[in-house]
Amino acid sequence: MAQIFVSGKMPVLALRGLAVFPDQTIHFDVGRPRSVKALDAAMKRDQHIFLVPQRDIMDDDPLPDQLVTIGVVAKVKQVLKANGENLRVLVTGLCRARVSEITQTDPFMEGHVVSVPETEVQDSVKAHTLRRKATNMYGAYLEVTEHTSKSTHLRMIASTDTGFIADTIAQNSGIDYRDKTKLLCQLHPVRRLESAIKLLQQEIEMLKLDVILQEKTRMNMEQNQRDYFLREQMKVIREELGEGDDLEEFDTYIKKIRQLKLEEDHEKKLLKDVDRLKKQPFGSAEGAVLRNYLDTVLELPWNVRTKERVDITAARKILDNDHFGMEKVKQRILETLAVRQMAPQMPPQILCLVGPPGVGKTSISYSIARSLNRKMARISLGGVHDEAEIRGHRKTYVGAMPGRIMAAMIQAGSSNPILLLDEIDKLGKDHRGDPSAALLEVLDAEQNHTYRDHYLEIPYDLSDVMFITTANTLDTIPTPLMDRMEIIELGSYTDEEKLMIAKNHLIPKQLKKHGLKKSQLRITDDGIREMITCYTRESGVRKLERSVAEVCRKAAMELLTQENPKRITVNGSNLENYLGVRKYLPDRLPGTDQIGLVTGLAWTSVGGETLEVEVNVMDGSGKLELTGNLGDVMKESAHAALSYIRANAQKLGVPVDFYKTKDIHVHFPEGAVPKDGPSAGITVCTAMVSALTGRTVRRDVAMTGEISLRGRVMAIGGLKEKTMAALRHGIRTVIIPSDNARDLEEIDQTVRKSLNFVVASSVDTVLDTALNHQTEMDSTILADISAECMGQPRPNGIRQ
């Protein structure tokens, strides 16, 4: 086609998101005031206007320097009024041009426009090939877009102008306006056509992909419509059968399962169970099993957490308000808080609180939960002897249910609670399995993040759970299980600690429980001490609390029966009116020092006790008689003591042949109570030496320690409880093994100040401290008296 040359002054109209090419007819809307005025000016003249794209389509009022350098001189064919104030314009492009000078910008843009000739190129095989390829490709484009008008394609087929074909493709395709602007600025026809072919190829590929996506969307919509139709039919059928709510139930299950955001295989497994449930007939047994299973899984707190309190000061205040004493436990909990604050990702420690009954192991666990702001669930393990109690049953069994761990998680309603495993030392074991072995995975921080309950069949994360276990003794806890826990021992309360607990906690609690006011009932300190000494003998405070409750009941009865009820005061002198006759008489020491009677110290599950050992020596053949319901270990200790005395008879002042001529009877009173343990070794030895030598034993001395054949005093346990028992009994001096000297730091200060501790590493120290020294004259007098009474000649030695 012949090129058109233009040079002159004409209005300039900026195009936004649009480009017009030579020899192309196009319509577009004009709405900006400056553009409308430029169009009016062109219509008043020769209908010629310069159309040039603007660089930034967001600019409502572009300046001359914001326009593209190349535009098109076009002739306005038609102007119609569109919606509102917009005008619809039909134009035909004439030639490429540029603005050499802007002559005005208001009220519209106008400038001197000069046409830009295209680069002249000779027709070549390459140009011919490109034209044919472009024509065929545009035909394919029309097929993809399903365009009904073929006139543009026919014009391209009939044309031999390379630039015209490139401009036609650019004008009549969905190529991006930025690419169209580049094609407009390209003056070389062959290069312009090459670029147009590439852009058109990309457009065709995008359109084909769009067609595929639309087809898939249509098929999905048809499938969804089909499914909806079938579901509606099923819904009607189920309503006729009385099963109308099942479909909503299935949808609810699916929605809740997806909200859990589980791992893909676990979610897939649960959704598969929902599909199985859909296929079950109404009222089937398997359907009930699947419903129970899905309900249990969905009740678990998978993604529910409570915000943990890491304020050490607030936690200390809560612990101190709830419990008196227990400094080791409180300090350990505060250390845990400090670590959690410094390293939140560290898994919680597993604590095992060991101590006698009634010292507050369970209640301190609830205080720990309050101080950490965690929810709490308690699992009682006493008497559990079936592994399925911990791990759950397979859901195929009738009446199957999850284990106690998962049940406690459901009860807590949080994925980071405190689980209290109470009485872990009382787990049983039989042919159905070992529950303590099932707990190994639960209490292992390296494994419990994928804990599998037999009922759930999918792993549950227990790594954020803080486990606290309680026990009365460590003897029955398996070693692998104990190895996973940090042991914290809670000792018995002293009488002074019990007094403070009763005043600050027990009495206010029971007054509130029985509807009494402080002004109505007062229990003095003497009354509380009398209650502790004569009505309760325990390491904890449970019996003490029951005694306080009994006093409150009697006081309430008295207040209601009196005509003019006054304030009731309970003290040591009138306590019997409320609690009856004293159950325990105060421990009294013997009136005088005696031969063969020694006070020992023993540990029991309810605290410490004093233990008297009596020894009699009689003429005989060297027999040793042990009575008092003794265990094997205690019997062996007595034999060890006897062997030591035989080996050191001369040094101890004992007749060398006593084991041939004397029978020894060792008795432990309260024969109905079983006794065992090695700590009475030095007690038995001291009693035997006293009986064999006739030396009296100091009645204010008590002792504990294991004896060896070489006379060494070996370490024992339970020193805190034993020393408190000695103080109650009125003892002033306590002999302990030297290896237990370090344990004196843990003994209550009141006990340490009241008792004199003698540290012994050998039996010699024990005998020197416990036995009274008699003069030779005293021994002779005793021998004369004994001989005269028996009508026998005076012996040279002393016999007992």
Side-chain angles (χ1 to χ4, degrees), residues 680-698:
I682 62 172
T683 309
V684 174
C685 181
T686 304
M688 286 183 178
V689 172
S690 171
L692 289 170
T693 60
R695 296 169 62 183
T696 57
V697 182
R698 290 174 53 188

Side-chain angles (χ1 to χ4, degrees), residues 95-327:
C95 64
R96 284 177 170 80
R98 65 161 52 95
V99 178
S100 61
E101 181 184 2
I102 295 294
T103 57
Q104 74 172 43
T105 56
D106 287 319
F108 59 88
M109 196 180 300
E110 189 176 40
H112 188 77
V113 178
V114 179
S115 60
V116 179
E118 289 187 352
T119 304
E120 294 186 3
V121 295
Q122 294 181 354
D123 195 12
S124 63
V125 176
K126 179 180 179 181
H128 180 72
T129 304
L130 289 174
R131 289 197 299 270
R132 185 171 65 180
K133 183 177 181 180
T135 304
N136 294 335
M137 191 175 292
Y138 189 74
Y141 172 78
L142 294 178
E143 290 180 3
V144 174
T145 57
E146 298 180 354
H147 206 286
T148 56
S149 176
K150 304 294 183 181
S151 58
T152 303
H153 190 210
L154 292 175
R155 289 176 60 197
M156 291 174 61
I157 295 173
S159 176
T160 58
D161 188 343
T162 304
F164 169 75
I165 294 176
D167 292 343
T168 303
I169 290 174
Q171 190 71 75
N172 297 281
S173 64
I175 297 173
D176 187 74
Y177 82 93
R178 286 180 285 265
D179 294 326
K180 289 184 177 182
T181 303
K182 294 178 182 178
L183 291 175
L184 182 63
C185 296
Q186 177 58 260
L187 301 179
H188 196 287
V190 177
R191 295 175 185 171
R192 187 161 71 244
L193 184 56
E194 287 178 340
S195 300
I197 290 173
K198 291 180 181 179
L199 294 172
L200 185 61
Q201 181 65 40
Q202 294 176 4
E203 186 69 17
I204 291 173
E205 291 176 357
M206 292 174 60
L207 288 173
K208 287 181 178 179
L209 181 60
D210 187 49
V211 169
I212 293 173
L213 294 176
Q214 288 183 0
E215 181 65 19
K216 287 184 177 180
T217 304
R218 184 185 63 81
M219 292 177 64
N220 289 337
M221 290 180 62
E222 289 179 355
Q223 182 65 32
N224 291 337
Q225 289 175 352
R226 178 177 174 274
D227 293 344
Y228 175 76
F229 179 71
L230 292 175
R231 284 196 184 95
E232 289 299 315
Q233 284 187 328
M234 290 177 63
K235 183 176 180 181
V236 173
I237 294 172
R238 287 181 177 273
E239 287 177 354
E240 291 295 327
L241 294 174
E243 306 173 17
D245 296 333
D246 287 355
L247 285 177
E248 295 182 3
E249 179 188 21
F250 300 148
D251 293 339
T252 303
Y253 278 139
I254 293 173
K255 181 180 178 182
K256 288 183 178 180
I257 289 171
R258 286 175 176 160
Q259 287 176 347
L260 295 179
K261 300 189 183 304
L262 303 176
E263 293 184 11
E264 184 178 355
D265 53 341
H266 303 152
E267 181 177 305
K268 185 177 179 180
K269 192 260 180 198
L270 295 178
L271 293 176
K272 184 178 179 181
D273 286 335
V274 175
D275 291 336
R276 287 176 55 200
L277 180 60
K278 290 180 181 178
K279 299 174 183 177
Q280 299 302 317
F282 178 74
S284 69
E286 187 174 356
V289 170
L290 288 171
R291 277 187 176 85
N292 291 336
Y293 170 72
L294 291 171
D295 289 340
T296 302
V297 172
L298 294 175
E299 284 178 358
L300 282 169
W302 293 92
N303 302 311
V304 181
R305 294 176 57 86
T306 53
K307 187 176 181 181
E308 188 176 35
R309 180 191 291 119
V310 290
D311 188 347
I312 296 179
T313 304
R316 186 192 298 275
K317 185 177 180 180
I318 292 173
L319 293 173
D320 289 339
N321 289 340
D322 289 351
H323 289 83
F324 181 81
M326 294 190 178
E327 296 303 327

Side-chain angles (χ1 to χ4, degrees), residues 361-531:
K361 298 184 295 296
T362 303
S363 60
I364 191 69
S365 302
Y366 284 94
S367 297
I368 292 171
R370 286 184 56 227
S371 64
L372 297 178
N373 193 34
R374 289 191 178 204
K375 294 187 177 181
M376 175 87 173
R378 175 178 170 270
I379 304 173
S380 179
L381 298 179
V384 174
H385 49 75
D386 188 357
E387 180 191 1
E389 292 279 343
I390 305 298
R391 281 191 171 275
H393 304 79
R394 304 285 181 187
K395 70 172 184 288
T396 53
Y397 295 113
V398 177
M401 61 182 67
R404 295 199 179 195
I405 301 296
M406 291 295 98
M409 295 299 297
I410 294 174
Q411 176 189 346
S414 169
S415 61
N416 63 333
I418 290 180
L419 290 191
L420 173 63
L421 306 181
D422 214 0
E423 310 294 352
I424 198 172
D425 58 326
K426 297 174 179 61
L427 282 171
K429 181 173 70 172
D430 60 13
H431 64 280
R432 287 172 289 186
D434 186 358
S436 62
L439 285 174
L440 293 178
E441 181 184 1
V442 176
L443 299 181
D444 193 338
E446 300 296 328
Q447 303 179 39
N448 60 13
H449 63 281
T450 56
Y451 172 71
R452 282 184 179 268
D453 187 275
H454 288 162
Y455 184 80
L456 293 184
E457 298 178 349
I458 56 176
Y460 188 86
D461 187 2
L462 295 176
S463 59
D464 287 337
V465 178
M466 182 176 183
F467 290 97
I468 299 178
T469 66
T470 67
N472 297 127
T473 178
L474 298 176
D475 297 338
T476 57
I477 301 178
T479 303
L481 187 60
M482 189 162 53
D483 185 57
R484 285 163 165 76
M485 302 182 292
E486 181 176 348
I487 308 299
I488 299 178
E489 294 186 0
L490 281 71
S492 304
Y493 291 122
T494 64
D495 289 351
E496 290 302 314
E497 287 177 336
K498 290 181 181 179
L499 174 65
M500 298 304 298
I501 292 171
K503 291 174 63 177
N504 298 332
H505 298 281
L506 302 183
I507 293 177
K509 176 183 175 182
Q510 292 300 326
L511 288 176
K512 182 179 179 181
K513 189 174 180 180
H514 290 82
L516 296 172
K517 299 178 181 178
K518 290 183 179 180
S519 59
Q520 294 176 310
L521 175 62
R522 176 175 174 265
I523 304 178
T524 64
D525 290 356
D526 290 340
I528 298 173
R529 287 193 174 93
E530 185 79 7
M531 202 180 299

